[in-house]
Amino acid sequence: MGKRSRLRKKEHQNNSKPGGRDNRDNGWGAGYADIIKENKLFEAYYQELGLVPEGEFDQFMAAMREPLPATIRITGYKSHAKEILHCLKNKYFKEIQEVEIDGQKIEAPQPLSWYPDELAWHTNMSRKILRKSPLLEKFHQFLVSETESGNISRQEAVSMIPPLLMKIEPHHKILDMCAAPGSKTAQLIEMLHSDMDVPFPEGFVIANDVDNKRCYLLVHQAKRLNSPCIMVVNHDASCIPRLQIDTEDGQKGTLFYDRILCDIRIAVRGVEQLAVGGRMVYSTCSLNPIEDEAVIATLLEKSEGALELADASVDLPGLKWMPGITKWKLMTKEGQWYKDWSEVPVNRHTQIRPTMFPPTDTEKLANMKLERCMRILPHHQNTGGFFVAVLVKKAPMPWNRRFPKLRKEQSSSSLPQPEDSPRERGVGRKSVCMYSDSVLCSRPPPNKKMKRHGFKEDPFVFLTEDDPVFPPIESFYDLSPDFPKINVLTRTHEGKKRHLYMVSKELRNVMLNNSERMKVINTGVKVWSRNSDGEEFGCAFRLAQEGIYTLFPYIRSRMITVSVEDIKILLTQENPYLSKLEEDAHQQAKKMGMGSIVLKYRPDKSNPDGPQCPIELCGWRGKTSIRAFVPRNERFHYLRMLGVEVFRDKQGQGPREEEKEVKEEVKEGETENGNKDVSPKQELRGENRGDEHLKGDEREGGGENLTST
């Protein structure tokens, strides 16, 4: 037992004795003092600034002390988004409205009024409440499962705002400069794929984070979306390298981004890499004008007209926000106020700088139009505090015009670190820092030699069009002539290729020209995996479910059209006989040789109760049986779309007794762990044999039923 555990045990024993601290007979948590969410300097600062409308300050502070509501966002670009929304609204939310906990009806989740198409919802239900009702626990399991499948994301409401204001189009090249943990990055990817009929949008997202470990959180978020247009890199954003690309005329050129997402420390580096005509969204989780308007004003002044604030007032109808301010003053942590730079004593000049105050030139200040900045107050719509500004680049930055190739000067600090400034302490959920370490450079930062820290990544190796791996794949799947073979890559220079991945043409351009400039953590979507026994069927590579939406437009054979009932059979039984399929699918399967297949469902307009979106699943046609190769949580997702309830007990080991009435229930569908495939039987036995379980005779399970009826 550790020291802390011993101390807690001793404290508990003391509290249980007469005369000790309050004992715990009154319930969980009794005996612990409540956290006092109070900071007099914080309150005095924001009251004096007048950021909160008159008569609302008490509401403002009360909201700050309350926990944030849980907020979910339905993945908007997937064709299944409407189906998930329909399921939420017409099943779970309706059921929740009938639930009573301790004599009180539960308030159902509500849509965020300003988020398009009702794809974002919030609720005040706590985890404690979720455990008190089987119906609520079903709802929680649904959210967890769909989140793991990438169909739902948990994300604070205000963090959804910046991507919406960027006005993403499929051809945009996007840089997310401080991307981890990745919720906003996921939004950007969704927007690129707004047209699911286009497997390779022209645009891409480069998501960067300085922390190597947080990059892997970012990868986890991004990989759920199965996009070939995302690349995760690991750099200090303040000196993220300029990237080179091949231009259409065959020359080398600098990559400029159409859209950039950034915060405080990296704003100047961001606008440098922004294309003329592009938009950069600057946002902070702070309400403090020192981190907000002061930074924007400095950027605008340094830009000499190259930047302007965009008017985003009509972009998000329903969002309540306060316009940016043009007057503010500073307060130290001791509570001393300064109205302008002239009042600051010399001994504080290293902590407080002139650019922290509003511009003194009234005409210049008016031309900045700082009122176009947007400040979201917590009590207006029960969100976190937030600030956002949209900048449009009208011309190259002045220092780039004067010193186009000058890259070695030392960067100078326009806004030195206010180390002696007051910060918020213990106010509560909507954290608002008093001052930040705001730094803006008046010249481009110097180039730094890239340091590689963290895990050593496997190489990214693009295949050539004449690579011997392609002919059997092209023949087996009858790939269309326009299949972009040069976009296929693997992660090894030597030996057999275990997996094949694909990236978009534009990302390939970036990677080939910048292998020595950037540290790539992850990119590409897996489209094929090697099957050790597949060669006897004509192809050594089977289709991977995560890449099916990328590959499907190019595949012209190995497809079986299936019905709703066929999908239910395939997702709830391990190896059903071909004869268990309905007649149409059965006849198609009988004519097809053994090996990897695509199971294709198309909506039946005559059956409005069925899924109204297309579905493509990877599968395997055996000697006498057929199976779906779909990860467990995706199985659950598709079954829910078909009206089949799927829930497990808390340990995930089987159905709960109170759920016996459920029509069909999956135990453990086929999963993909790391680089190997695990069948349900192997998973239950704790085995992991790779692809050996695909071998002819071993695959024939006689239609073993995995459902609970």
Side-chain angles (χ1 to χ4, degrees):
M1 184 182 293
K3 183 177 179 181
R4 290 184 178 180
S5 299
R6 291 195 299 270
L7 290 174
R8 281 196 297 266
K9 182 177 180 182
K10 184 176 180 180
E11 184 179 18
H12 173 71
Q13 292 170 345
N14 291 338
N15 291 338
S16 301
K17 298 175 184 177
R21 199 175 66 173
D22 295 341
N23 61 45
R24 300 193 178 189
D25 292 340
N26 293 329
W28 186 90
Y32 288 94
D34 290 335
I35 297 174
I36 300 175
K37 298 176 181 178
E38 185 176 308
N39 184 330
K40 295 299 184 184
L41 281 176
F42 175 91
E43 295 184 34
Y45 181 73
Y46 281 98
Q47 277 186 311
E48 181 67 22
L49 289 180
L51 299 179
V52 181
E54 187 175 352
E56 297 182 14
F57 196 80
D58 288 344
Q59 296 171 262
F60 169 76
M61 290 305 303
M64 296 280 282
R65 296 184 175 101
E66 291 298 317
L68 278 167
T71 314
I72 61 171
R73 179 173 52 78
I74 300 171
T75 302
Y77 84 83
K78 291 201 172 182
S79 57
H80 304 157
K82 290 183 179 179
E83 296 293 322
I84 298 172
L85 179 59
H86 181 270
C87 183
L88 278 170
K89 292 174 66 175
N90 295 281
K91 177 176 174 52
Y92 293 102
F93 293 167
K94 280 188 175 180
E95 291 178 347
I96 288 171
Q97 289 176 346
E98 306 301 321
V99 175
E100 289 190 7
I101 302 293
D102 300 331
Q104 291 187 341
K105 276 198 171 184
I106 296 298
E107 182 182 349
Q110 298 295 318
L112 297 180
S113 61
W114 46 267
Y115 201 94
D117 303 321
E118 289 191 332
L119 292 179
W121 296 70
H122 66 154
T123 175
N124 283 316
M125 286 187 289
S126 66
R127 290 186 179 182
K128 189 175 181 181
I129 290 177
L130 288 172
R131 296 189 186 102
K132 288 190 174 185
S133 163
L135 275 177
L136 294 181
E137 191 170 322
K138 286 182 182 180
F139 174 53
H140 183 251
Q141 285 194 28
F142 167 82
L143 293 180
V144 170
S145 178
E146 293 295 332
T147 298
E148 291 177 359
S149 297
N151 301 304
I152 283 177
S153 292
R154 292 193 62 182
Q155 181 179 355
E156 188 181 349
V158 289
S159 79
M160 302 177 191
I161 296 172
L164 293 175
L165 294 179
M166 294 177 79
K167 297 186 177 180
I168 302 296
E169 297 181 15
H171 64 275
H172 283 155
K173 299 172 180 62
I174 307 165
L175 174 64
D176 189 348
M177 298 186 75
C178 288
S183 55
K184 289 193 285 291
T185 305
Q187 268 183 282
L188 301 176
I189 298 170
E190 294 167 24
M191 293 170 181
L192 275 184
H193 289 272
S194 57
D195 185 354
M196 283 298 289
D197 292 329
V198 180
F200 290 106
E202 292 182 22
F204 57 78
V205 177
I206 294 180
N208 174 71
D209 203 86
V210 66
D211 188 305
N212 183 262
K213 292 181 180 178
R214 282 170 61 84
C215 282
Y216 292 93
L217 294 176
L218 184 54
V219 169
H220 174 72
Q221 281 273 23
K223 294 292 277 187
R224 298 179 310 143
L225 298 174
N226 301 328
S227 170
C229 304
I230 171 69
M231 180 165 66
V232 176
V233 299
N234 180 202
H235 290 276
D236 178 351
S238 65
C239 52
I240 193 168
R242 284 181 180 270
L243 302 183
Q244 300 295 312
I245 54 173
D246 292 327
T247 60
E248 293 181 357
D249 59 3
Q251 303 297 313
K252 297 292 183 183
T254 299
L255 171 62
F256 289 99
Y257 301 92
D258 301 296
R259 299 290 187 268
I260 293 180
L261 193 60
C262 79
D263 59 22
I264 287 169
R265 294 177 175 271
I266 53 180
V268 165
R269 191 57 171 164
V271 295
E272 285 181 346
Q273 301 210 16
L274 187 66
V276 173
R279 292 165 73 95
M280 185 177 85
V281 174
Y282 171 91
S283 63
T284 75
C285 295
S286 171
L287 301 179
N288 194 326
I290 309 304
E291 295 185 82
D292 300 340
E293 285 91 347
V295 175
I296 296 298
T298 303
L299 267 177
L300 292 172
E301 185 171 11
K302 299 287 184 185
S303 77
E304 299 178 7
L307 299 174
E308 73 174 23
L309 273 171
D311 183 358
S313 59
V314 298
D315 290 347
L316 294 179
L319 178 66
K320 295 181 180 179
W321 53 276
M322 301 297 294
I325 60 175
T326 57
K327 294 181 180 179
W328 63 88
K329 50 187 177 179
L330 275 63
M331 185 181 77
T332 68
K333 65 182 179 182
E334 295 83 17
Q336 185 174 0
W337 289 92
Y338 300 113
K339 293 181 180 179
D340 56 52
W341 171 247
S342 64
E343 296 182 356
V344 180
V346 175
N347 63 346
R348 288 194 180 272
H349 281 188
T350 56
Q351 292 87 35
I352 301 176
R353 300 298 298 156
T355 50
M356 294 180 181
F357 295 94
T360 55
D361 187 323
T362 55
E363 183 179 354
K364 184 182 294 185
L365 180 61
N367 290 335
M368 289 180 178
K369 300 178 181 177
L370 293 179
E371 67 277 4
R372 290 182 174 179
C373 299
M374 305 169 74
R375 181 175 277 102
I376 290 88
L377 300 180
H379 65 294
H380 282 170
Q381 289 179 304
N382 194 19
T383 66
F386 205 68
F387 174 90
V388 63
V390 181
L391 292 161
V392 175
K393 189 171 182 179
K394 311 298 289 186
M397 301 308 290
W399 54 85
N400 292 132
R401 296 197 298 267
R402 299 189 195 109
F403 313 103
K405 296 185 178 181
L406 187 61
R407 306 300 306 160
K408 296 184 179 180
E409 287 86 344
Q410 295 295 320
S411 60
S412 61
S413 174
S414 302
L415 293 179
Q417 301 178 8
E419 299 170 356
D420 199 26
S421 301
R423 291 183 179 270
E424 176 226 348
R425 299 181 183 87
V427 172
R429 57 121 161 180
K430 331 275 185 169
S431 296
V432 183
C433 296
M434 293 296 290
Y435 297 155
S436 74
D437 300 337
S438 305
V439 178
L440 290 175
C441 302
S442 60
R443 289 280 182 88
N447 274 342
K448 295 182 180 178
K449 186 175 181 180
M450 183 172 62
K451 297 180 180 179
R452 297 182 181 270
H453 299 291
F455 301 102
K456 182 179 179 181
E457 295 297 329
D458 292 330
F460 295 86
V461 184
F462 283 96
L463 306 186
T464 59
E465 289 190 288
D466 58 354
D467 192 289
V469 77
F470 283 126
I473 291 178
E474 290 179 288
S475 174
F476 191 73
Y477 297 103
D478 189 19
L479 296 183
S480 60
D482 60 341
F483 175 71
K485 291 186 284 187
I486 60 172
N487 293 0
V488 178
L489 61 87
T490 186
R491 299 298 301 274
T492 179
H493 282 291
E494 300 175 354
K496 286 188 175 181
K497 304 171 180 68
R498 286 188 55 81
H499 303 288
L500 302 180
Y501 304 83
M502 290 192 75
V503 297
S504 65
K505 173 185 174 182
E506 288 71 18
L507 269 187
R508 177 181 182 273
N509 187 351
V510 173
M511 295 180 69
L512 290 178
N513 282 285
N514 300 279
S515 60
E516 297 301 318
R517 289 186 180 90
M518 60 184 185
K519 179 180 178 182
V520 179
I521 300 296
N522 195 278
T523 192
V525 59
K526 183 165 65 176
V527 289
W528 281 292
S529 290
R530 180 176 289 277
N531 166 22
S532 56
D533 299 299
E535 290 184 12
E536 64 182 281
F537 309 125
C539 182
F541 287 90
R542 67 170 180 84
L543 298 165
Q545 180 65 30
E546 53 261 58
I548 191 61
Y549 286 102
T550 298
L551 269 186
F552 182 76
Y554 304 103
I555 297 174
R556 300 187 297 184
S557 70
R558 307 296 301 173
M559 285 188 284
I560 298 176
T561 301
V562 293
S563 67
V564 168
E565 294 305 316
D566 291 330
I567 297 179
K568 289 180 181 179
I569 293 292
L570 290 163
L571 295 182
T572 59
Q573 298 185 22
E574 184 176 2
N575 282 315
Y577 285 123
L578 297 177
S579 58
K580 289 204 172 185
L581 298 177
E582 293 190 338
E583 183 62 20
D584 185 29
H586 184 202
Q587 292 302 319
Q588 294 177 65
K590 284 172 63 176
K591 297 176 183 177
M592 192 170 292
M594 297 171 65
S596 185
I597 57 174
V598 179
L599 302 160
K600 178 179 71 173
Y601 165 81
R602 289 298 176 264
D604 181 359
K605 293 182 180 180
S606 64
N607 178 20
D609 294 331
Q612 297 303 303
C613 63
I615 297 174
E616 288 95 25
L617 306 177
C618 293
W620 187 271
R621 201 286 201 195
K623 181 186 286 187
T624 60
S625 68
I626 192 169
R627 70 178 300 175
F629 270 153
V630 182
R632 182 191 63 195
N633 283 309
E634 286 196 45
R635 283 182 178 241
F636 293 167
H637 163 70
Y638 290 118
L639 285 170
R640 290 190 187 101
M641 288 176 58
L642 302 175
V644 179
E645 293 225 31
V646 186
F647 298 103
R648 296 172 296 159
D649 63 12
K650 291 182 180 179
Q651 288 74 37
Q653 298 300 317
R656 299 181 52 168
E657 290 299 319
E658 61 266 32
E659 292 164 355
K660 291 292 186 181
E661 74 278 3
V662 174
K663 288 171 60 182
E664 297 178 4
E665 187 167 337
V666 174
K667 287 182 181 178
E668 295 286 347
E670 208 278 330
T671 67
E672 292 197 8
N673 292 339
N675 291 334
K676 297 185 179 180
D677 298 309
V678 186
S679 73
K681 286 186 177 181
Q682 292 168 335
E683 188 174 21
L684 292 174
R685 292 198 301 261
E687 298 176 13
N688 190 340
R689 301 187 302 162
D691 286 325
E692 291 87 339
H693 66 280
L694 297 181
K695 193 171 181 179
D697 295 337
E698 293 181 8
R699 287 198 311 278
E700 311 309 323
E704 178 183 353
N705 199 320
L706 294 185
T707 65
S708 172
T709 58

